[in-house]
Amino acid sequence: MSIVSPTAGFPPTYSVVTFNAGAEIYAPGDKAGTFYQVEFGAVRVHRLLSDGRRQVIAFHLAGETFGFEADRTHSFFAEAITQTGLRAISRPANGEASPELLTLALRGMLRAHEHIMMIGRQTAVERISGFLVDMADRQGGIEYFDLPMSRLDIADYLGLTIETVSRVFAKLRSAGLIKLRSIRCVELKKLETLRSLCA
Amino acid sequence: MSIVSPTAGFPPTYSVVTFNAGAEIYAPGDKAGTFYQVEFGAVRVHRLLSDGRRQVIAFHLAGETFGFEADRTHSFFAEAITQTGLRAISRPANGEASPELLTLALRGMLRAHEHIMMIGRQTAVERISGFLVDMADRQGGIEYFDLPMSRLDIADYLGLTIETVSRVFAKLRSAGLIKLRSIRCVELKKLETLRSLCA
DNA sequence: CGGCTGATTGAGTAACCTCAAAATTTGTGG
DNA sequence: CCACAAATTTTGAGGTTACTCAATCAGCCG
């Protein structure tokens, strides 16, 4: 990782740091207190069980914010998925809580709750459809986009296996709902049908 | 619901309101902005899919706090499970964000993330074990306690069916790890073994 | 005691997982 | 630019967990 440039925007000024694909941003036990805004690229936050099972808690795309924790130390891993620029923002040392940070925390909680709903009660097709629609919405409702993450990342995010993810992609493709322009570029051909599939 | 008594503790003074078992505290679309501390009883927060599938997002026991939302309106249902007393606390109108509220939000997010991990990557036995250990820990590490919620509530919280919950209880019982003093009263006979089962 | 609700148990099934192999893509060096 | 190796993704076959449907059982209340 390397410092690219100091950039204004948040008071005071914070610099943007670049991480290579796969680079660790923080790990469980690391000191928390700083949070991050994604300038470009994508981040994956995850946790491991003792036997290696992995759950991806969240993906964070350009413009999104992550890294706030309840405790002094982090409980999860955060890694850059592709080459990623992050603006690090320190929490005010005086213990003050900005309304912005609270809003971000509450939005994060809402996202987490919707994630629980999805993996607790939806089928594989519903989860993948929901995931794709969410990715499109978060990038401004575009109809095609690159997936920065691997099939394994998607599987671990949705509580599925890589094979099931692959099979559901194939199913949605053969139903004409999506098109795979390349292995990582998805086009949502029938967005409204996909939306209705999320139940 | 009825006002029981105004109680000091939070500045300014807020009164405790009692809800009967099953009573609705708020529903999706209701105006948010107030949050609640459980004085006694237990609360369930959940959401429904269009076809009736239900996901319980969280249970809240005595002493715990819930109800903060990112938006102006609630996105979930909150209901009293048993007769429950709640202290309603309004968010400061001046837009100020108290550090306490931020801490509560961050703790809520951590809980949600652990919930995601559990239902995304753990087996039925691991989920039930984790649930029971969590219930014990949240009540001060006691070894037996009443479950305020039904088997259906537990199933909908853990992303399982009522039958699977029942079967796993039977399995843990016949393995000598728990004892069912009554249908709603669980005794954790081997807490450390249960803890190790959560992976 | 009968009727109701909630919980348990049983039998069969379906969705998703596991293991294995083939196909495709990506990266590297010449 | 091509060839080869490594990594990722897809596809296939079979297995397992948890689900569905159904019946029985237990507790509760009038």
Side-chain angles (χ1 to χ4, degrees):
Chain A
M1 84 190 205
S2 64
I3 293 177
V4 166
S5 70
T7 314
F10 269 86
T13 299
Y14 297 101
S15 53
V16 171
V17 177
T18 303
F19 292 81
N20 288 325
E24 181 177 288
I25 298 161
Y26 57 74
D30 284 3
K31 193 168 172 300
T34 303
F35 64 101
Y36 303 92
Q37 184 164 47
V38 181
E39 290 289 311
F40 59 87
V43 171
R44 141 187 91 221
V45 177
H46 67 97
R47 193 172 198 176
L48 297 173
L49 291 177
S50 51
D51 62 359
R53 279 174 288 174
R54 187 179 73 147
Q55 177 66 47
V56 172
I57 301 298
F59 297 115
H60 299 288
L61 310 179
E64 299 176 350
T65 318
F66 71 97
F68 11 93
E69 293 266 354
D71 299 316
R72 302 256 168 144
T73 58
H74 286 290
S75 307
F76 300 94
F77 292 94
E79 294 160 358
I81 300 177
T82 57
Q83 178 147 308
T84 297
L86 296 182
R87 185 188 308 278
I89 302 165
S90 304
R91 234 167 113 175
N94 56 19
E96 228 174 72
S98 73
E100 291 79 20
L101 185 51
L102 177 61
T103 300
L104 290 173
L106 291 174
R107 291 215 178 286
M109 198 154 75
L110 180 59
R111 285 199 75 76
H113 288 165
E114 286 170 347
H115 195 182
I116 289 171
M117 172 104 240
M118 176 156 79
I119 62 183
R121 282 295 175 236
Q122 293 194 295
T123 65
V125 169
E126 289 167 342
R127 292 183 218 186
I128 300 272
S129 303
F131 170 74
L132 292 174
V133 169
D134 182 49
M135 289 297 290
D137 287 348
R138 283 159 72 181
Q139 292 173 77
I142 56 187
E143 75 251 351
Y144 71 93
F145 51 88
D146 280 306
L147 292 169
M149 68 292 286
S150 69
R151 298 289 189 268
L152 182 58
D153 287 333
I154 298 173
D156 286 346
Y157 177 72
L158 297 176
L160 300 170
T161 60
I162 184 176
E163 294 94 334
T164 298
V165 171
S166 190
R167 278 184 250 266
V168 172
F169 269 76
K171 193 169 182 176
L172 294 178
R173 182 168 45 76
S174 70
L177 301 183
I178 66 172
K179 181 177 176 182
L180 292 170
R181 294 191 175 191
S182 75
I183 206 121
R184 292 284 183 103
C185 183
V186 192
E187 180 179 344
L188 307 188
K189 304 283 284 183
K190 299 188 179 176
L191 182 55
E192 289 318 312
T193 309
L194 285 167
R195 233 180 258 286
S196 70
L197 277 184
C198 310
Chain B
M1 83 191 205
S2 63
I3 294 177
V4 167
S5 70
T7 314
F10 270 84
T13 298
Y14 296 102
S15 54
V16 172
V17 177
T18 303
F19 292 80
N20 287 327
E24 181 177 290
I25 299 161
Y26 56 75
D30 284 2
K31 193 167 173 297
T34 302
F35 64 101
Y36 303 92
Q37 184 164 47
V38 181
E39 291 290 311
F40 60 88
V43 171
R44 137 188 96 221
V45 176
H46 68 96
R47 192 172 197 175
L48 297 173
L49 292 177
S50 51
D51 61 359
R53 280 174 287 176
R54 186 179 76 146
Q55 177 67 46
V56 172
I57 301 299
F59 296 116
H60 300 288
L61 308 180
E64 299 176 349
T65 317
F66 71 98
F68 11 92
E69 292 265 352
D71 299 317
R72 302 257 168 141
T73 58
H74 285 289
S75 306
F76 300 94
F77 292 95
E79 294 161 359
I81 300 177
T82 57
Q83 177 146 308
T84 297
L86 297 181
R87 185 188 306 280
I89 302 166
S90 303
R91 238 168 110 175
N94 55 20
E96 226 176 71
S98 72
E100 291 79 21
L101 185 52
L102 178 61
T103 300
L104 290 174
L106 291 175
R107 293 215 178 285
M109 196 153 78
L110 181 59
R111 285 198 76 75
H113 288 164
E114 286 169 348
H115 195 181
I116 289 170
M117 172 104 239
M118 176 156 79
I119 62 184
R121 281 294 175 237
Q122 293 194 297
T123 65
V125 169
E126 290 167 342
R127 292 182 218 187
I128 300 273
S129 304
F131 170 74
L132 291 174
V133 169
D134 181 48
M135 289 296 292
D137 287 347
R138 283 158 72 181
Q139 292 173 77
I142 56 187
E143 76 252 351
Y144 71 93
F145 50 88
D146 280 306
L147 293 169
M149 69 290 286
S150 69
R151 299 289 190 267
L152 182 58
D153 287 333
I154 298 172
D156 286 346
Y157 177 71
L158 297 176
L160 300 169
T161 60
I162 184 177
E163 294 94 334
T164 298
V165 171
S166 191
R167 277 184 251 268
V168 172
F169 269 74
K171 194 169 181 175
L172 295 177
R173 183 167 45 76
S174 71
L177 302 182
I178 66 172
K179 182 177 174 183
L180 292 170
R181 294 192 174 191
S182 75
I183 207 127
R184 290 284 182 101
C185 182
V186 192
E187 179 179 346
L188 307 187
K189 304 284 285 184
K190 299 189 179 175
L191 182 55
E192 290 318 312
T193 309
L194 285 168
R195 233 180 258 286
S196 70
L197 276 184
C198 310

